[in-house]
Amino acid sequence: MNQTDVILNNLIESVKYIQDKISEVPKTAVVLGSGLGLFADKIEDKVVIPYAEIPHFFGTTVKGHKGQFVCGKIDGTPVIAMQGRIHRYEGHEQYEVVHPVRTLAKLGVENIILTNASGGINEAYKPGELVIIEDHINLTGNNPLLGPNIEEFGPRFPDMSETYNKEIITFIKKAAKDLGTDIKTGIYAGVLGPTYETPAEVRMLKTVGGDMVGMSTVPEAIAANHMGVKLGGISCITNMAAGIEKGKLSHDDIKDQANKAMEFFVNLLTKTVGYLNS
Ligand code: HPA
């Protein structure tokens, strides 16, 4: 089998496995990043599907990522959450990293909200703040669409002029207003990791227009956009990127900051999912 057939066959098997476990496919999915998994714990009437059970899925190796789909209702609205994701830096191929979002797209989900933890480059941000991803810069040195184009997914040269859907951005802003606060927007610079950046790299990222930097989201956004899914993005600024403030970066501190933002994050996402279903 060639690579395209492998990708397509794997997808059919993953989709079938999930379809057999859930009674309806929600309109909206959310991908929960490092330390942001609590949203999934608030889902009611839930069906939990560990990635390890699903054909062609990988468990995650990153602390703070559980590795399961949680499908049910949040505040009465159907939703499916990916509690944890895999990354290229864990040693996975690009097509493996984007397999879960392709599975969601193939299941029939219309909207995906990608969330992540990131380092703040823009000095107007503070650790613990949530920022809407307005656009991204792919600095991973890779692209999940390399190789023969899979016509069934989308065109060879996909348009990326509105990768993060404007209407979804408006809904997230409206949800923040409902919760009594404004929310900033920013450009997510996506890098490969797993090292955090050097201060010199952060200065470069600032020069090229990045407001925040992280190691996920970009491959998923490219693959989901290719398949015509509408995307939203929310980033939790868990730390200021290297060199912006004094001190060293650690994954444990980053998870602590994500925890502090948790209540607002859960409420913001819940309201946004509600708007997307209305
Ligand atoms: N850099 C890259 N990825 C990150 C960071 C960072 O500073 N913080 C959380 N994820």
Side-chain angles (χ1 to χ4, degrees):
M1 262 201 287
N2 63 33
Q3 165 107 341
T4 299
D5 290 338
V6 170
I7 291 174
L8 286 171
N9 277 319
N10 289 356
L11 198 58
I12 289 166
E13 287 175 21
S14 298
V15 167
K16 167 115 189 36
Y17 189 86
I18 297 169
Q19 268 169 345
D20 287 347
K21 302 252 168 201
I22 61 176
S23 52
E24 64 167 329
V25 176
K27 201 168 154 189
T28 302
V30 299
V31 178
L32 302 169
S34 274
L36 299 170
L38 194 79
F39 174 84
D41 297 340
K42 306 269 176 192
I43 295 176
E44 295 176 324
D45 304 329
K46 58 185 159 204
V47 175
V48 176
I49 314 171
Y51 299 156
E53 270 184 15
I54 308 171
H56 315 297
F57 268 63
F58 294 91
T60 155
T61 64
V62 185
K63 276 197 269 171
H65 281 256
K66 256 196 179 147
Q68 57 191 23
F69 277 105
V70 180
C71 187
K73 288 197 171 144
I74 191 99
D75 205 16
T77 305
V79 69
I80 181 163
M82 268 179 62
Q83 200 171 17
R85 55 152 69 89
I86 58 168
H87 309 77
R88 180 97 169 97
Y89 65 71
E90 293 172 79
H92 298 292
E93 297 298 331
Q94 284 280 72
Y95 76 91
E96 292 169 340
V97 172
V98 299
H99 181 75
V101 287
R102 281 181 168 156
T103 301
L104 288 169
K106 192 82 182 144
L107 265 172
V109 156
E110 287 174 36
N111 314 300
I112 300 180
I113 302 182
L114 299 167
T115 72
N116 59 46
S118 69
I121 299 171
N122 186 325
E123 286 171 47
Y125 299 163
K126 286 188 219 56
E129 183 166 2
L130 299 179
V131 175
I132 298 174
I133 303 174
E134 195 182 355
D135 203 352
H136 74 222
I137 306 173
N138 178 9
L139 295 165
T140 64
N142 213 324
N143 192 301
L145 308 185
L146 285 183
N149 184 48
I150 304 181
E151 289 298 320
E152 193 186 319
F153 291 166
R156 169 76 291 186
F157 301 109
D159 176 62
M160 294 280 287
S161 59
E162 196 185 319
T163 311
Y164 299 86
N165 180 267
K166 289 212 163 52
E167 197 184 17
I168 299 185
I169 292 176
T170 307
F171 283 147
I172 303 171
K173 285 184 179 164
K174 211 162 129 184
K177 269 239 150 59
D178 292 345
L179 296 166
T181 173
D182 282 332
I183 184 164
K184 298 181 183 108
T185 57
I187 308 299
Y188 178 89
V191 296
L192 184 59
T195 45
Y196 291 118
E197 301 66 41
T198 64
E201 285 165 347
V202 171
R203 287 195 294 275
M204 176 198 75
L205 295 174
K206 188 173 188 168
T207 305
V208 300
D211 290 304
M212 54 220 167
V213 54
M215 306 171 194
S216 67
T217 302
V218 163
E220 294 158 346
I222 292 171
N225 177 71
H226 186 220
M227 292 178 80
V229 174
K230 283 192 220 145
L231 291 171
I234 301 173
S235 194
C236 177
I237 308 296
T238 48
N239 57 281
M240 293 314 284
I244 302 274
E245 278 180 355
K246 287 207 188 84
K248 294 199 171 181
L249 302 184
S250 88
H251 186 59
D252 285 337
D253 292 347
I254 283 171
K255 277 192 299 161
D256 286 349
Q257 283 299 336
N259 272 333
K260 284 188 194 151
M262 193 56 81
E263 193 185 336
F264 179 51
F265 176 77
V266 169
N267 291 338
L268 185 73
L269 210 47
T270 302
K271 283 196 174 285
T272 304
V273 169
Y275 279 133
L276 282 169
N277 211 50
S278 58

